[in-house]
Amino acid sequence: MTAPVLAWLATDAGADARLAALKALGNGDEAWRDAEVLARTNLNFAQTRRLDRLVENLAGRLAVPGHLLSVRVALAASSTVQHLIPSLRMAGLRRGMRLEIYVTAYGQYMQELLDEASGLRRFQPQVCCFLLDARELANLACNGPDDALDHLSTCWRLCREHFSASIIQQTALPVLERVFGSNEHRGAGSPASRLRQINVALPTAADKQGVALLDADALANSYGVDALHDPALWYLAKQEIHPSAAPVWGDYLGRIVAALRGRSAKCLVLDLDNTLWGGVVGDDGVGGLQLGEGSAVGEAFCDFQRYCLELKERGIAIAVCSKNDDVNARAPFREHEAMVLREQDIACFVANWQDKAANLRMIAGTLNLGLDSLVFVDDNPAERALIRQELPEVAVPEMPEDPAEFVRCLARAGYFEAVCCTAEDLERADQYRANAARHVLRESFGGSATDVHGYLASLKMLASAQPFDESGLKRVVQLINKTNQFNLTTPRVSDDEVRGWMADACMRTWQIRLCDRFGDNGVVALMAARVCGDECALTLLLMSCRVLGRRLEDELFNLLGEAAQKAGVQRITAIYRPTPKNGMMRDLLGRFGFSAGDTAADGSIPWTMSVASFLPRSTEITMRLRASDEVGSEP
Amino acid sequence: MQQQDIYAQLTTIFRDLFDDDTLVLTPGLTAAEVPEWDSFNHINLIVAVEVRFGIKFQTAELESMQTVGHLADLIQSKLAAQGR
């Protein structure tokens, strides 16, 4: 059996020595930094276990760095999963998360869900994963798959009732052998058939209830059941997943947790020569490139481009970062017939002779993304090493030498894991491109303060605000959970919590859509406030960083002030809750005429403003307010 | 492979696994004498040994394994069967 490996992560030949050195390190910052770097390398099961132990030890005696997002994850399992915990925790660290993990007692996930005094109920997970082994699922389905699905639905419902947690359900790992063979489906009652039926029915059932899937079937397709499951360890220890497969399993689950918390990558940055085509365009000319039919390598590059295009169509921004003269770099896009990616697919095109670290910073700035949202793909090991060194936040997959394996490498790395697909997602890549065009327009206005008005006016912005509604719910929840910078309180919520606000007569909610002459940005800002007594308390205020600097926040303030006036309350209150990323919100309310109270020990600041002193602010945006009944009449 | 080499490699595995750089392996050493050597870590130990030596234990062998000496003998006979 060959153990599955994290093949897209760079292998550090000195990992054992670095683990030993980490153990000896006393200095907290340095130790945490080294641990994060090691977590982003291809460690085997034993090394992952050692790193996890060192990190647990660090967390026990030193403060956890502020940039790590803490998440409570429960594993509700029917078999042994303890051996998977270190790999899951390290998959979290790889993505800037510190996972606190609770495992239900052996065979008792249902009891723990039901018993209010159980460890699970006390733990109050933010993410709850149901990991039922194949034998348990096959047994539940002995009278048909519906029984198994009913059981799972009950688990999900109990989870919903008692926790405000996102739910992940693992599909059945196909470890039960067939009795018919290829035509196993002819014997619907065989254990292997029952597992298949469950896996076929799960996506629909999970979709209906907003549950995310961990597709163990897909894991088995990629790595093979034999590499994931050892019958001897099942009989001996009831481990369905082999310990040496734990790093890959942990990464597959960790990336879903990351997606649920808004930590998936958002932009794919591509090198050109020998990454998108074979050869060097500056030397070989457009006609001399290996690309397209007629050469196996050329076909492989085409397919890689096609995969990148599929990502773009799914909402991932594509950028180019190449050491080339701009005119040479663009020539294949304009002249080569076999090019799949076109210039209009590229949100930000950077071809120059500067170092790539500077260029990646520039790309992140242009697209208004954090460096930790970038994935950098380059065939050149030296460039990859430079970026890993200079910008450790950027994900840099270890691309195989053979372009035929590029798609597999990038796909299995799972950097762009998504748990849902909203209309905004599908349009987002074009929005990034429009954003880059706005960026260029802003530069043409000189970027100076005196010209800001002219620039903003030239955008011809139209905004509309309407209360949260069921049709926009997915986007609302997504935006709440993934917005980090312009976010006053940074709550993380489930669908049901937001439904709760929608049903609450005291709550006022706004989802704001913004269009301009470059296109529709979709729903980019959210606000919620609770009207109670003589007070209007702002409970949610956030905006996508794609529309920062457009004075949309002034319009949000106007909406809030007008709602407070209409409700006849005396004052508006709000609390700023600091996080490592939302520093820009610290003084925002002061700018709008709120006065600050005393800063609390955790850094949060209470703000108040008298409604009598509210004055609407003028902006370059035309705002249209849509009532909820108007919304209801929409198709 | 000589018993001596097997013990040297086993020592590295044990020390990593149980996080104890002073651990000394003797043929008579049992799980009861190593605080962290519980049933959970027993599997980790088995997997680490299988990976390190490129061998595979049978389920019955895993169940009957009592001492370090027994483990080392099993490794030696499996390696011998592979001509190593």
Side-chain angles (χ1 to χ4, degrees):
Chain A
M1 194 203 80
T2 320
V5 294
L6 303 166
W8 56 90
L9 297 177
T11 304
D12 183 347
D16 285 321
R18 293 186 65 179
L19 282 165
L22 185 57
K23 194 176 169 185
L25 260 186
N27 178 326
D29 290 347
E30 207 179 325
W32 275 107
R33 201 165 48 240
D34 276 10
E36 283 187 70
V37 168
L38 271 167
R40 292 196 182 98
T41 61
N42 176 14
L43 301 180
N44 66 24
F45 162 66
Q47 291 165 330
T48 304
R49 212 178 145 273
R50 284 177 70 192
L51 177 60
D52 177 63
R53 196 164 48 200
L54 291 168
V55 169
E56 285 306 287
N57 186 281
L58 276 180
R61 55 194 177 87
L62 299 164
V64 175
H67 67 270
L68 293 179
L69 176 72
S70 158
V71 187
R72 289 189 307 279
V73 180
L75 305 181
S78 58
S79 63
T80 305
V81 295
Q82 272 75 8
H83 61 300
L84 304 172
I85 295 174
S87 291
L88 179 56
R89 266 197 296 247
M90 292 305 96
L93 188 61
R94 197 172 294 138
R95 292 170 176 77
M97 300 184 295
R98 163 108 187 112
L99 303 185
E100 191 190 337
I101 297 175
Y102 176 84
V103 180
T104 54
Y106 185 82
Q108 293 184 35
Y109 62 93
M110 192 49 111
Q111 291 90 320
E112 292 213 28
L113 275 169
L114 291 166
D115 175 7
E116 66 182 57
S118 73
L120 178 64
R121 294 278 287 271
R122 282 199 307 274
F123 181 67
Q124 286 289 316
Q126 294 164 296
V127 177
C128 189
C129 313
F130 288 97
L131 310 172
L132 276 66
D133 65 89
R135 287 164 179 84
E136 169 102 349
L137 286 170
N139 286 341
L140 287 166
C142 58
N143 294 317
D146 289 351
D147 288 357
L149 289 165
D150 284 350
H151 175 84
L152 296 179
S153 295
T154 305
C155 292
W156 304 339
R157 184 177 51 75
L158 287 168
C159 194
R160 285 262 145 73
E161 274 172 23
H162 301 306
F163 315 125
S164 76
S166 305
I167 303 174
I168 299 174
Q169 174 68 51
Q170 181 173 251
T171 66
L173 189 69
V175 301
L176 300 179
E177 297 296 342
R178 297 167 174 227
V179 290
F180 287 78
S182 278
N183 290 283
E184 190 72 12
H185 59 283
R186 304 255 158 85
S190 81
S193 270
R194 282 181 253 153
L195 291 186
R196 165 81 70 92
Q197 289 157 6
I198 290 170
N199 280 355
V200 167
L202 259 177
T204 314
D207 266 4
K208 258 189 221 145
Q209 308 209 28
V211 169
L213 294 180
L214 165 59
D215 194 348
D217 226 8
L219 204 58
N221 283 336
S222 296
Y223 297 98
V225 172
D226 293 359
L228 299 169
H229 178 79
D230 182 345
L233 296 189
W234 172 261
Y235 297 120
L236 195 69
K238 297 294 172 287
Q239 293 182 348
E240 188 174 52
I241 303 285
H242 193 282
S244 64
V248 166
W249 182 90
D251 199 83
Y252 271 63
L253 180 52
R255 65 183 64 160
I256 302 173
V257 175
L260 288 166
R261 307 317 267 186
R263 290 269 166 148
S264 287
K266 300 182 176 91
C267 174
L268 174 62
V269 186
L270 296 162
D271 169 53
L272 296 179
D273 292 329
N274 290 315
T275 297
L276 283 193
W277 52 67
V280 176
V281 65
D283 298 337
D284 304 325
V286 172
L289 299 179
Q290 287 176 296
L291 186 67
E293 305 289 320
S295 110
V297 169
E299 284 185 33
F301 280 114
C302 268
D303 258 1
F304 181 58
Q305 289 197 19
R306 209 163 281 127
Y307 185 75
C308 296
L309 186 62
E310 284 161 8
L311 285 174
K312 182 239 159 185
E313 283 166 355
R314 213 209 76 188
I316 304 302
I318 309 283
V320 160
C321 178
S322 166
K323 278 193 176 150
N324 254 314
D325 288 334
D326 188 72
V327 61
N328 284 340
R330 289 179 190 267
F333 288 86
R334 291 172 179 172
E335 298 162 25
H336 202 299
E337 282 186 354
M339 280 295 288
V340 177
L341 287 171
R342 293 284 153 191
E343 268 181 288
Q344 63 265 24
D345 297 319
I346 311 299
C348 183
F349 198 114
V350 179
N352 59 33
W353 298 95
Q354 290 178 35
D355 79 276
K356 292 205 173 185
N359 281 335
L360 285 181
R361 277 200 197 91
M362 200 269 270
I363 288 169
T366 304
L367 298 176
N368 235 331
L369 292 171
L371 283 166
D372 56 3
S373 295
L374 304 188
V375 175
F376 173 64
V377 170
D378 197 313
D379 67 294
N380 184 338
E383 298 289 6
R384 295 199 297 260
L386 171 84
I387 299 305
R388 287 194 190 111
Q389 170 76 35
E390 294 290 312
L391 307 173
E393 312 93 308
V394 175
V396 185
E398 191 64 3
M399 296 306 282
E401 277 185 38
D402 187 343
E405 294 172 28
F406 280 7
V407 174
R408 181 182 285 178
C409 175
L410 188 59
R412 293 204 182 162
Y415 294 119
F416 303 107
E417 186 80 16
V419 284
C420 67
C421 182
T422 63
E424 268 81 7
D425 289 328
L426 298 178
E427 289 162 17
R428 182 162 313 110
D430 290 323
Q431 292 167 355
Y432 279 119
R433 186 177 152 73
N435 226 352
R438 289 178 197 108
H439 193 82
V440 171
L441 179 68
R442 185 160 59 234
E443 303 279 293
S444 76
F445 274 88
S448 68
T450 50
D451 288 329
V452 167
H453 173 71
Y455 159 69
L456 290 176
S458 76
L459 288 174
K460 303 200 186 328
M461 291 179 283
L462 278 173
S464 66
Q466 62 185 64
F468 293 177
D469 54 7
E470 193 62 36
S471 66
L473 184 69
K474 268 205 161 66
R475 172 61 177 162
V476 166
V477 172
Q478 183 188 51
L479 205 53
I480 293 175
N481 287 335
K482 70 193 282 188
T483 305
N484 294 316
Q485 298 181 64
F486 193 102
N487 196 335
L488 192 67
T489 49
T490 321
R492 298 300 189 220
V493 299
S494 64
D495 293 8
D496 286 343
E497 277 175 86
V498 176
R499 282 201 185 93
W501 304 345
M502 283 155 57
D504 184 340
C506 297
M507 288 296 284
R508 305 283 182 275
T509 60
W510 296 264
Q511 47 181 330
I512 293 97
R513 177 178 280 272
L514 182 68
C515 303
D516 62 33
R517 72 178 170 102
F518 292 103
D520 185 352
N521 293 280
V523 173
V524 289
L526 302 175
M527 187 164 64
R530 175 180 295 280
V531 176
C532 191
D534 61 355
E535 192 175 295
C536 172
L538 182 62
T539 54
L540 179 79
L541 174 65
L542 60 88
M543 192 165 81
S544 161
C545 54
R546 283 182 290 137
V547 295
L548 286 181
R550 312 275 284 271
R551 293 193 179 142
L552 184 58
E553 59 273 29
D554 295 51
E555 289 293 341
L556 293 171
F557 170 73
N558 290 347
L559 289 170
L560 181 67
E562 282 155 17
Q565 278 180 337
K566 209 169 139 193
V569 300
Q570 297 295 309
R571 58 183 185 278
I572 306 175
T573 61
I575 293 178
Y576 161 72
R577 297 194 189 284
T579 72
K581 289 195 167 181
N582 74 349
M584 66 168 66
M585 305 300 283
R586 230 186 90 83
D587 302 315
L588 179 83
L589 293 173
R591 206 152 62 70
F592 291 143
F594 282 74
S595 19
D598 295 335
T599 305
D602 65 354
S604 54
I605 304 172
W607 293 90
T608 29
M609 185 181 125
S610 147
V611 176
S613 66
F614 164 68
L615 276 177
R617 300 168 68 90
S618 83
T619 72
E620 296 78 6
I621 303 170
T622 309
M623 173 61 84
R624 205 158 68 92
L625 203 55
R626 300 160 94 193
S628 50
D629 50 349
E630 193 183 339
V631 177
S633 66
E634 278 191 349
Chain B
M1 195 181 289
Q2 297 297 312
Q3 285 270 337
Q4 198 184 338
D5 295 336
I6 293 173
Y7 271 89
Q9 296 201 35
L10 278 180
T11 302
T12 310
I13 292 173
F14 271 76
R15 287 182 177 178
D16 277 355
L17 189 67
F18 299 115
D19 203 19
D20 179 355
D21 292 338
T22 62
L23 202 60
V24 176
L25 297 190
T26 57
L29 188 67
T30 65
E33 295 164 68
V34 181
E36 278 195 67
W37 191 351
D38 53 16
S39 60
F40 173 55
N41 269 327
H42 186 63
I43 305 292
N44 288 331
L45 173 66
I46 294 306
V47 172
V49 169
E50 286 186 342
V51 170
R52 181 105 178 186
F53 291 96
I55 55 174
K56 181 93 176 74
F57 295 108
Q58 298 205 7
T59 310
E61 292 168 339
L62 298 178
E63 268 187 317
S64 64
M65 208 175 278
Q66 300 293 340
T67 62
V68 169
H70 187 190
L71 175 64
D73 290 344
L74 272 172
I75 294 170
Q76 192 173 34
S77 69
K78 281 179 185 292
L79 290 175
Q82 295 177 8
R84 293 161 62 196

